[in-house]
Amino acid sequence: MDTPEEGSARETGRALSAAPPLITRTLLIVTIVAFLAELIPGLDLLRRLSFVPALTLEQPWRALTVALVHEEPSPFHLLANMIGLFFFGSFVERALGHSKFLAVYIIGTAGGSAMVLLLADPFSVDWVTNHIGASGAVFALVGVLLAPTRHLDRNITGVLVFVALNFGYGFLVAGVSWESHLGGLITGFVLGCAGLLGPQRPRTLVFTSTSVGLVVLMAAGGAWKLAGLSALP
């Protein structure tokens, strides 16, 4: 993939923002600090902040805090997601701007959790498993890069290979939440289209409306799934 410094907006003739990716750096720091806090005995942050489908109704905030906790004590899981956040996040933040980028990250996290909830079998281990990691949010950033626009001067083949390899790995290796990847990817793609396609002037309104619509759709889907469970004998 081209670096943000090398990228250009061929479609509009307007260069990507030269502003530093402040939100990306902040998210990196916050997530790394959260991982270090996980290692403190007694805090039990992984159990408290992970997303568990069975606890969605009682503790809905877990759908977002899941992005703060990673497998411990090995830093491999954290490093894999933070490398993705650094490279993809820096590029996407300069393309969308700080506020839209943060919205993609947060809503992408929720989208990953929502997909886990919708696809989890209430009578399976997945329903009570602690789902962890920022992969849903990172895949949302990748979803933005898949938006059909030349505004992002990226190597689309490289992005597609990344998606294919990660989904293949998720299907072949136990313990990888491919549902979270899928939910984040779809969410990011929709928001990327809303934020990058069409005339420049109404894009903010379109992006905001799409963001609200996605959140409402996720809430409705979660309510439908949980309502179905309550109707079971």
Side-chain angles (χ1 to χ4, degrees):
M1 177 186 299
D2 294 333
T3 63
E5 290 79 7
E6 295 170 341
S8 62
R10 294 173 181 165
E11 183 177 276
T12 61
R14 181 170 58 84
L16 296 177
S17 170
L22 298 178
I23 303 300
T24 298
R25 295 175 183 177
T26 301
L27 290 171
L28 282 166
I29 294 172
V30 169
T31 309
I32 291 172
V33 170
F35 176 78
L36 295 176
E38 280 184 62
L39 304 179
I40 300 176
L43 290 183
D44 202 12
L45 289 185
L46 190 149
R47 184 181 65 83
R48 294 175 183 272
L49 301 181
S50 59
F51 178 69
V52 182
L55 298 177
T56 301
L57 191 60
E58 299 174 20
Q59 302 175 13
W61 59 84
R62 288 174 176 263
L64 297 180
T65 58
V66 61
L68 295 175
V69 288
H70 290 78
E71 184 179 358
E72 58 180 54
S74 170
F76 178 78
H77 185 209
L78 172 74
L79 289 175
N81 279 333
M82 293 303 96
I83 290 173
L85 172 58
F86 177 77
F87 286 106
F88 296 130
S90 299
F91 191 91
V92 173
E93 184 173 355
R94 286 185 167 123
L96 290 178
H98 303 312
S99 59
K100 290 179 182 177
F101 168 78
L102 182 59
V104 169
Y105 194 86
I106 293 174
I107 300 174
T109 300
S113 298
M115 190 64 73
V116 169
L117 174 64
L118 291 174
L119 297 183
D121 183 349
F123 301 102
S124 71
V125 175
D126 281 346
W127 191 250
V128 293
T129 294
N130 292 285
H131 296 264
I132 58 175
S135 56
V138 172
F139 264 80
L141 304 180
V142 176
V144 173
L145 297 177
L146 293 177
T149 175
R150 295 176 63 193
H151 178 70
L152 296 175
D153 186 18
R154 77 292 200 210
N155 182 347
I156 191 65
T157 301
V159 176
L160 291 173
V161 169
F162 172 87
V163 172
L165 289 176
N166 275 273
F167 270 105
Y169 180 79
F171 282 118
L172 295 175
V173 179
V176 177
S177 181
W178 62 267
E179 299 93 337
S180 177
H181 295 177
L182 178 61
L185 188 71
I186 294 173
T187 302
F189 177 76
V190 172
L191 291 175
C193 291
L196 295 170
L197 303 182
Q200 179 69 31
R201 187 176 298 275
R203 277 186 197 164
T204 297
L205 177 60
V206 171
F207 183 88
T208 302
S209 301
T210 303
S211 299
V212 173
L214 282 174
V215 172
V216 171
L217 184 62
M218 292 175 197
W224 170 79
K225 179 67 177 269
L226 297 174
L229 292 178
S230 64
L232 293 176

